[in-house]
Amino acid sequence: MKKISLILCLLLISGPVFAQTPEDLMARFQYHRNAVYQKLDLTEGQTKKIKKIDENVYIKLEPELQQVSNYINKIDEIANSDNCTIERVNEVKEEFKTTEQRISAIKEKHEKAINRVLTPEQKTAYEKAKEVQRAEIEKEIEEIRKNQ
């Protein structure tokens, strides 16, 4: 039971990221971004601008995703150790907060840059597509929690 609780804590601190490597985390991020973009009917010019914006954000996110991967691995090590305590998990959660804040700042700047490229109609579609995606991810997380 204690290990299940720790795994649930892992899900809580890592949000919708279930992969272990930074490459897997980046691939998941890119997949979700591209799924949203496909719903926007972007022009060729918009696509080029967004591609450049995304390339810049991926460069900025890479070290942060490495850190997230490290935290996930730390939690996994704690869960599989003989000294598995909620206090140890909470220490990692505290360390994670700084990285989470940096990722949030990067994503916020990214969102602003993307919004400058979109038309008002596309902005509305963009927000709706992200909401649908968030709901799907939350459903996925809930399914994982149910199956544990």
Side-chain angles (χ1 to χ4, degrees), residues 21-34 65:
T21 68
E23 294 81 16
D24 290 339
L25 296 172
M26 182 64 78
R28 187 174 180 86
F29 179 76
Q30 290 172 336
Y31 170 80
H32 287 291
R33 299 303 309 166
N34 290 330
L65 294 179

Side-chain angles (χ1 to χ4, degrees), residues 21 29 37 49 51 53 66 70 75 82 91 96 98-100 116-117 125 128 130:
T21 68
F29 179 76
Y37 296 151
K49 287 178 184 177
K51 183 178 180 183
I53 292 166
Q66 176 64 54
N70 292 343
I75 294 289
D82 291 336
E91 287 174 15
F96 178 74
T98 304
T99 301
E100 185 177 41
R116 285 191 294 271
V117 174
K128 286 181 184 176
K130 288 190 316 181

Side-chain angles (χ1 to χ4, degrees), residues 10-25:
L10 166 64
L11 290 174
L12 291 173
I13 69 166
S14 64
V17 288
F18 305 109
Q20 291 291 323
T21 68
E23 294 81 16
D24 290 339
L25 296 172

Side-chain angles (χ1 to χ4, degrees), residues 57-118:
V57 81
Y58 298 153
I59 290 168
K60 292 175 184 173
L61 278 176
E62 193 172 347
E64 304 305 333
L65 294 179
Q66 176 64 54
Q67 195 61 43
V68 170
S69 178
N70 292 343
Y71 292 133
I72 290 170
N73 290 333
K74 279 184 181 180
I75 294 289
D76 191 45
E77 287 173 20
I78 291 169
N80 291 314
S81 76
D82 291 336
N83 187 15
C84 181
T85 65
I86 196 68
E87 290 80 16
R88 290 183 65 207
V89 171
N90 285 337
E91 287 174 15
V92 176
K93 281 175 63 175
E94 275 304 308
E95 292 173 25
F96 178 74
K97 284 181 183 179
T98 304
T99 301
E100 185 177 41
Q101 290 168 346
R102 286 192 307 265
I103 290 171
S104 291
I106 291 168
K107 287 173 72 177
E108 186 176 316
K109 287 179 184 177
H110 179 257
E111 290 295 313
K112 287 179 182 178
I114 294 295
N115 276 310
R116 285 191 294 271
V117 174
L118 302 176

